[in-house]
Amino acid sequence: MLQLCLAAAEASPRTAGAGCTTGAAPPGAERGRSPEGSAGAAAPGRDGALRSERAAAGAHLDPQGGGGRTAGHGCFAGFLHRVIVNIIHSVQGYHSKTVHFLNVAFNRSGDSLLAGDRQGNIYVFDLNGNRFNLVQRTMQACTALAFNLRRKTEFLVALADYSIKCFDTGTQELVSWMRGHESSVSSISVHGSGKYAITTSTDTAQLWDLDTFQRIRKLNVRQSVGIQKVFFLPLSNTILSCFKDNSVFAWEFDTLHCKYQLPTAIEGSVLFYKVFAVTRDGRTLVAGGKSNHLHLWSLELKQLIRIIQMPEKVRAVRHLEFLPDSFDGGSSQVLGVLSQDNIMRFINTETCKLLFDIGSPEEGISTAAISPNGRYIASVMKNGSLNLYSVQALTQEENKPPPFMFKVVEDGPKYTPEATKLITKVTSGRSEGPWKSKQSKIQTRLLKLQENTSLENKENELPGGLDKKRLQALLKGFGEYPAKYRMFVWRSLLQLPENHLAFSSLIDRGIHSAFINIQKEYPIKSRKLLRVLQRTLSCLAHWSAIFAETPYMPLLAFPFVKLFQNNQMICFEVVATVVVNFCQHWFEYFPNPPVNVLSMMENVLAHHDKELLQHLVKYNVTSQVYAWPLLETLLSEVLTREEWLKVFDNIFSNHPSYFLMVVVAYIICSRAPLLHCNQAADFEYFFHHRNNVDINVVIKEAYHLMEATPLDIHPQHMLDDFTPLTKGQYPIFNKYPMFIVDYQAQELEKIRQDEIEYLRERQLAHESEAKAQEQKAEDEVWYRKQKLLQEAKEQRRKILQEEEEKLAEERQRLAALKRELKVKELQLLDASRRRFLNYQQDQLQMELKRLDNEIARKASMREQETAAAVQDVELRWMELESQKQLFEQHIIKDQEAVTKEMKEEVEAHRRKVDLEDQRVQRLIEIDREEIQKALTVAEENLAKAEQKHIDTNWKLQAQRRLRWDDQDREKSYREIVKLLHDNRVKEAELLKAMRETEEKKWEDVAHNEAQLEQEQKAAAAADGQRKQFLDDKMNDALELAEKLQREDGSFERLRDLKARCTEREIEVQQVPRSGNVCLNDLSTLVSSPHMSSNRGRAELARRERELMAEVWQLRQRLISQAQARHPPARFPATTWSP
């Protein structure tokens, strides 16, 4: 069973299950308020509600089902906690235990997490879909994981048997199994394309092709050297190999040629490397080992550029990994360092500041992985659980510890001057790098410019190198500060002094008496949040007595407590700064609301929206109803988390009077719903709950009020400018009526003492009464026990007597039963002896019968094998017959005789085989008869001989039968082998004859082709002669026709004649020449070349005769027409068109 435990901040009880705003005030029903009208309340499902990103605390998931979804959604009352979810794999049973996770890996997008435990279970956690799935059971522990392959659903897992397997998360099937390592695989590195992978063990590193899952190359080293890690460099085709002798080589991936080797470290800074990390751009390498030093190498310059010394608590580095950032271009500067104390510290390699850390000595980290998108950190804890951290929550400014955890390496081992230059010296907020060329010049110029700046620019300068005007311009352009840097900007704007000693003295005073029972008034679920609120309020009360008597102080401080709950000093100083600057003149009319401040706001409202003010006055709605609830809760009740943060970005960036203008702007922007209200309860509800108001419009309206309000009623004229807290000691805060506060404090202290005395006396009375009741109950119990003991004694005495009588009777019956049992035992022994003898005889007979059956079975198997062999031979022969029939079409008649002879031989061979089989069957029958006779004789002898001789003869007969069976089987095998040999010889002869026939056929084809060529040449010559003869005759006919052209109708006749001649000429030309024979007619020509040539000649002669007859007929008609006409015909002049 997987158990998911959320460590997120608990929601405020005021929400009653709804979403909570970031800046919501603490829960409770103060001054008669209902829970629905309390701070931070929101209707379920509102857009402003901030829902949990993961399951509710304690949600159980069943891995046996293969998947699941978390049980529900919790509610965040503020920002996400550092730990999003804690996953525990527990096995329920007779002995419940926790199965430890061993390795984790993210996919390329960082949205899915792969985790393997000690039992070989592989789980996939969908961080966006809030689901998990058991994708594989390998039944052995995994040593390494990789989830960034080219196919997104596939992953690699290295197992304890030194193999690597590839599985698919979708189909949950094994894709491939890769072997080759002889020791445990410690790491898997995947190429950026996802097509190749490198697996590393102590003795070798192997390069795999993930498309074919074949090993491409193998890196072998001497056993004395050993391999630490081999991996791909990001965004390049370079492989980096790190060995145990501190040598680092870079190899070209395509050719596997060595590109370069990093030089040895400078003398005095030698470090035995164990772990390595590379930035996303592949330019910087960080190495660590059994020391608190880290070496930063530039892979472009191929030299050591910096040495960082970790705190003294760090004695060895176990894991290194860079934290990706979307805006750094791949040159990651945040490095995670996991040390031997099981704490992972994240440092900035440029500024050498400790940003945050995860883990603790009690809840240590075994290994960790960071998502490629830089949003999550997954860590395997020492107790076997799996923690998932939110990087956004970890990187907030309030999570940074106040002191820097690095120091200059000066008092440590003696370094050479060259090594000393590389050491980064950490100062208060700024680190000096190893180079001092261009950077020092730039800083000098900036300092000169700063000397000439005006007083106004100096006032705009903020701690941390920020400029207030530039921040205001940024705020005006984007409407809010970046969420990642908001806390840092706030600390700079408020100019927090960070007085550690002064704050420690306030903390040392303990919990103030006014806030000891604060949980009764504000029942917050999160004990941590309640504790931080209690300490912050106590520090404020110790700083100034007025805050112990102010009833709305928890409402005012709670939003900042939720934001800065991980850094109590920053939380206290932010609240103190807000009270000193943005709550000016609030306490002058204590214990009443600040009438003077409310009057200023009413004047501003009257100037800018007189109609709205008159409406409020009409229904007796004073400023204590429409303004004071917004002020005392800092707008946390009416705004969502994002809106509240955006508003305070603008408040902290402007004059303190801007806060009052924001409240007035909120009222003015809500004028439409307010003008429709006519009940006092409606107005109170409106200013204690969220409303549909665009916060951007409110902010713009506040800026408009700041500019358009006259100076005589402008709050800026009456409020002081922003004044930060003093450094060293906090300023004295006494801007309140001290006599009232002191009198109230004295009265409250007196009432508190009286209450304590009353509670003490009541406690004593309750204790006395309880003791008396207890004593009375004990006495009654003692008497009752005594009475029960007496009754029990009498009852047991009677039972004892009855048992003794029963025992005597039982002894008598037992003696009689013993005698009967003895007689029955003797009878049973005799019967069992006889039964055993009969059983032995039956067993011998059954064994002999079994041998007979075995012999018969083997004989039948031999027959079947012989028959199968014969069938195989017949099948082979049938195949040869089918092949022979294909070739028999081209074999002449004399081959048929050979085939017939072969068939006769085969038939004779078959008859011979049948005779041999009959002989074998006869031998088997004779052998079986002899065996039967021998068995009959053996049975007679066995009945007479002793048991020992029976066993001996039985073994000898069995051995003899087996030997006979082997001989018969050997004989049959030899016959089968001989038969197969004869068939092979005949097959060879048949193939030889077929080859000879094929050669003879090819010779005939060549001879026929030669004759065909000669015939084609002769036909071509005859065609030429006939064409010449026809041309001559046609010319003669045309000459004769020209002579008779004067006769009637001669032109038409002549044209027809010419056309017909032309057609015949074309037909003659279209007759295929014997020399241009189509390949499709080659078979016909080959079969009858003489017949084709004779047919062509006869056709040409016939056409020639027909043509001559037509010419003769035409001549006769022309002559007869000429003679029939006496007068000669006169034809008009015409032209001849060819």
Side-chain angles (χ1 to χ4, degrees), residues 810-957:
E810 291 292 335
R811 286 177 179 174
Q812 294 177 0
R813 287 196 297 269
L814 183 60
L817 288 174
K818 284 184 178 180
R819 288 193 297 272
E820 294 178 1
L821 288 174
K822 191 67 175 177
V823 174
K824 289 182 179 180
E825 184 179 358
L826 294 175
Q827 294 175 356
L828 290 173
L829 286 174
D830 187 32
S832 64
R833 183 176 60 82
R834 289 195 301 270
R835 191 183 299 110
F836 180 71
L837 293 175
N838 295 332
Y839 176 73
Q840 280 188 336
Q841 293 178 1
D842 294 341
Q843 288 294 323
L844 290 174
Q845 292 178 0
M846 291 174 64
E847 189 66 26
L848 291 175
K849 190 174 182 180
R850 188 185 64 80
L851 287 174
D852 291 340
N853 295 334
E854 185 69 21
I855 291 170
R857 187 181 63 82
K858 289 187 177 180
S860 64
M861 288 178 62
R862 184 170 64 252
E863 293 174 359
Q864 293 176 2
E865 291 176 355
T866 304
V870 172
Q871 290 178 0
D872 291 341
V873 172
E874 292 177 354
L875 181 62
R876 179 61 180 167
W877 184 250
M878 291 172 67
E879 292 178 356
L880 293 175
E881 283 291 330
S882 62
Q883 293 179 2
K884 182 181 67 177
Q885 290 175 3
L886 294 176
F887 291 106
E888 280 180 354
Q889 297 177 1
H890 306 289
I891 298 175
I892 57 180
K893 293 181 180 181
D894 55 350
Q895 293 298 325
E896 295 179 359
V898 176
T899 303
K900 186 175 181 181
E901 293 177 1
M902 291 297 296
K903 289 183 179 179
E904 292 176 355
E905 291 178 0
V906 171
E907 292 296 332
H909 180 72
R910 288 180 181 175
R911 289 193 296 272
K912 183 179 179 181
V913 171
D914 294 337
L915 292 175
E916 290 177 354
D917 290 339
Q918 293 176 3
R919 292 177 182 177
V920 171
Q921 293 293 335
R922 181 59 182 167
L923 289 174
I924 292 172
E925 292 176 359
I926 294 171
D927 191 15
R928 186 178 300 168
E929 292 176 359
E930 293 177 356
I931 291 172
Q932 186 67 30
K933 292 178 181 180
L935 287 174
T936 305
V937 175
E939 288 175 356
E940 294 176 357
N941 294 332
L942 286 172
K944 299 177 182 179
E946 295 178 353
Q947 186 68 31
K948 185 175 181 179
H949 294 135
I950 292 172
D951 296 339
T952 305
N953 291 335
W954 174 70
K955 291 180 181 179
L956 291 173
Q957 289 178 4

Side-chain angles (χ1 to χ4, degrees), residues 753-772:
Q753 293 296 333
D754 294 342
E755 185 179 359
I756 292 173
E757 183 64 23
Y758 167 74
L759 292 175
R760 186 179 64 80
E761 292 178 356
R762 190 175 65 178
Q763 183 68 21
L764 290 175
H766 286 319
E767 290 177 358
S768 300
E769 185 179 358
K771 287 182 179 179

Side-chain angles (χ1 to χ4, degrees), residues 676-707:
H676 287 81
C677 295
N678 53 15
Q679 298 291 332
D682 296 340
F683 288 102
E684 292 180 0
Y685 182 87
F686 184 87
F687 291 106
H688 285 287
H689 292 79
R690 296 183 194 171
N691 303 288
N692 296 326
V693 179
D694 189 354
I695 197 62
N696 296 319
V697 176
V698 174
I699 294 173
K700 292 181 180 179
E701 181 65 23
Y703 280 110
H704 173 70
L705 295 178
M706 288 287 290
E707 297 175 356

Side-chain angles (χ1 to χ4, degrees), residues 63 74 81 194 221 223 269 307 353 504 581 646 656 720 723 752 909 997 1002 1013:
H81 191 269
V221 295
Q223 189 174 4
S269 63
I307 301 174
K353 290 180 62 178
S504 299
N581 292 277
K646 186 181 294 186
D720 299 332
T723 304
R752 192 176 293 109
H909 180 72
T997 303
W1002 281 111
E1013 291 179 359

